Amino acid sequence: MIDALRFWVAVALVALGVFFTFIAAVGVIRLPDVYARTHTASQADTLGAGLTLAGVAVALGWQHATVYTVLLLFFVFITNPTAAHAIARSAAETGVEPQLADDGSESARDLEPEPDPESSGRGGEPTDRDAGTGGEPQ
């Protein structure tokens, strides 16, 4: 009974670890800049590696290899966020600008709200302000 429970706990921990590692990989591929990528790589990947190593430790039981696995787990918990911080700091010192929502990228345009002509009370007709002249006479 205990062996079956330990087996299923190990399987669940490894499955969660693989899931979070997959999410981290997707985040590194999909996110727009180095800062967001280091964020996902430091958090989701650390959690994924930690859960996987915890599953391995549970599967091994009380052995010397379990102590090494737990030490490796602490090493990953220390080095992954430190490496991500070093990468982000290096990017900032070399002048890499973060990609913000107002830089005109496709994702930024998706975040902008659609103008609602009826809520402005102008009936949707363009004015000088809408044309970018700032309302000054031409």
Side-chain angles (χ1 to χ4, degrees):
M1 176 69 181
I2 296 296
D3 287 337
L5 180 65
R6 191 173 74 185
F7 171 76
W8 286 112
V9 167
V11 166
L13 287 172
V14 170
L16 282 173
V18 169
F19 172 73
F20 280 107
T21 303
F22 177 73
I23 294 297
V26 169
V28 167
I29 293 170
R30 294 276 304 167
L31 290 176
D33 64 351
V34 67
Y35 300 106
R37 289 176 181 163
T38 56
H39 179 75
T40 187
S42 67
Q43 292 186 348
D45 192 42
T46 302
L47 182 61
L51 287 172
T52 303
L53 287 172
V56 169
V58 168
L60 289 174
W62 293 107
Q63 298 179 6
H64 289 288
T66 304
V67 174
Y68 297 137
T69 304
V70 171
L71 288 175
L72 183 60
L73 177 69
F74 286 121
F75 180 74
V76 167
F77 276 146
I78 293 171
T79 57
N80 268 3
T82 305
H85 176 78
I87 291 169
R89 185 173 180 164
S90 174
E93 288 179 355
T94 57
V96 176
E97 295 291 327
Q99 192 171 11
L100 301 175
D102 60 350
D103 63 354
S105 67
E106 184 175 315
S107 62
R109 277 183 255 132
D110 292 341
L111 295 175
E112 292 178 3
E114 294 288 328
D116 187 14
E118 294 185 16
S119 66
S120 65
R122 293 181 282 161
E125 296 177 13
T127 62
D128 289 338
R129 176 173 267 169
D130 293 335
T133 59
E136 297 175 9
Q138 296 179 353

